[in-house]
Amino acid sequence: MRHNKKFNHLSRTASHRSSMLANMATSLIMHKRITTTLAKAKALKKYVEPLITRSKEDTTNSRRVVFRYLQNKYAVKELFGEVAARVADRPGGYTRIIKLGTRQGDAAAIAFIELVDFDENMAKTAKAEKKTRRSRRSTKKADAAEATEAPAAEAAEAPAEEAPKADAPADEAPKAE
C-alpha cells in the first residue's frame, strides 16, 4: 500500500530530484524569481516554503538544517538575511506561481515562481477603485474626452518647444556676418 506517499516524482530518481530541487531553491532565493515548468514550480513551492519558515528563527541549528537542504552558503546567507527580514511578519505563503502558457517545443505548461515580498511591480501598484457598474456608453464618452484633451495638451506644448529652436538660427545669423 502507498498510503500518504503522494508527491510528484517529476520522472526522476530520488537523488536527481533532490539535487534539482536544491538547485532551483538556491536560484529562487538568489534571483527572487525563476521560470520553469508548472509541475516543477509546484514541487519547488513545497520544498522551499518550509525552508523560508525555518529562516525566520536565526539559530545555528536552523542554519544547519537549511544548509543540509540547499548546500550553498551564499544562498543560506541571503535566506537568513534579506529574505527572512522581508517575510518576518508573514504567516505563510511566501511564494507565488503565475502561469505563462505553454512551451513551443513540447507544449509543457510554463510558469514563473517568485518570492511574494520581492515583487516591486505588485508592491508599488496601488489597487484601483472597484467599479461595480460599467456601461459602454460611459466608457466611450470617457475615451472620447481623453482623446480630445490629449491633442490639445500636445498642441500647447509644441509651440513652446519650437520657439527656442526658431530663436537659435536668428542668433547664429548675425554671428556669421
Side-chain angles (χ1 to χ4, degrees):
M1 288 193 221
R2 53 182 310 273
H3 293 296
N4 203 18
K5 295 187 178 190
K6 180 182 176 183
F7 67 95
N8 196 344
H9 294 280
L10 301 173
S11 299
R12 286 164 171 80
T13 61
S15 59
H16 185 189
R17 185 172 52 252
S18 65
S19 59
M20 181 191 66
L21 288 172
N23 290 334
M24 289 174 65
T26 300
S27 296
L28 179 64
I29 290 166
M30 298 302 284
H31 300 291
K32 313 303 187 258
R33 174 189 289 184
I34 59 172
T35 304
T36 183
T37 62
L38 184 61
K40 287 180 189 174
K42 288 179 179 179
L44 180 61
K45 184 172 187 158
K46 285 185 176 182
Y47 186 86
V48 79
E49 295 234 358
L51 299 179
I52 297 173
T53 302
R54 178 71 75 156
S55 73
K56 288 179 169 184
E57 183 183 353
D58 191 3
T59 62
T60 305
N61 185 49
S62 298
R63 284 181 179 264
R64 286 178 178 165
V65 169
V66 170
F67 184 76
R68 194 177 82 213
Y69 284 93
L70 295 182
Q71 292 294 314
N72 186 332
K73 64 181 180 181
Y74 301 109
V76 172
K77 184 178 180 183
E78 179 82 9
L79 179 62
F80 279 87
E82 188 179 349
V83 176
R86 288 262 184 113
V87 300
D89 58 340
R90 183 177 285 275
Y94 311 111
T95 58
R96 173 189 301 129
I97 296 176
I98 298 178
K99 297 176 186 176
L100 298 176
T102 56
R103 190 162 50 199
Q104 190 172 6
D106 60 354
I110 297 295
F112 68 74
I113 181 169
E114 65 181 356
L115 296 175
V116 173
D117 293 323
F118 287 89
D119 187 13
E120 292 83 15
N121 296 333
M122 297 256 188
K124 289 180 183 174
T125 307
K127 292 186 179 180
E129 295 179 11
K130 278 193 171 182
K131 293 184 180 179
T132 55
R133 183 175 171 184
R134 291 185 287 183
S135 67
R136 291 184 182 199
R137 212 176 269 169
S138 64
T139 56
K140 287 181 182 176
K141 288 180 183 177
D143 291 341
E146 289 175 8
T148 57
E149 290 174 9
E154 291 174 6
E157 293 175 6
E161 292 176 4
E162 291 176 10
K165 292 178 185 175
D167 292 340
D171 293 338
E172 292 175 9
K175 291 179 185 175
E177 293 175 9

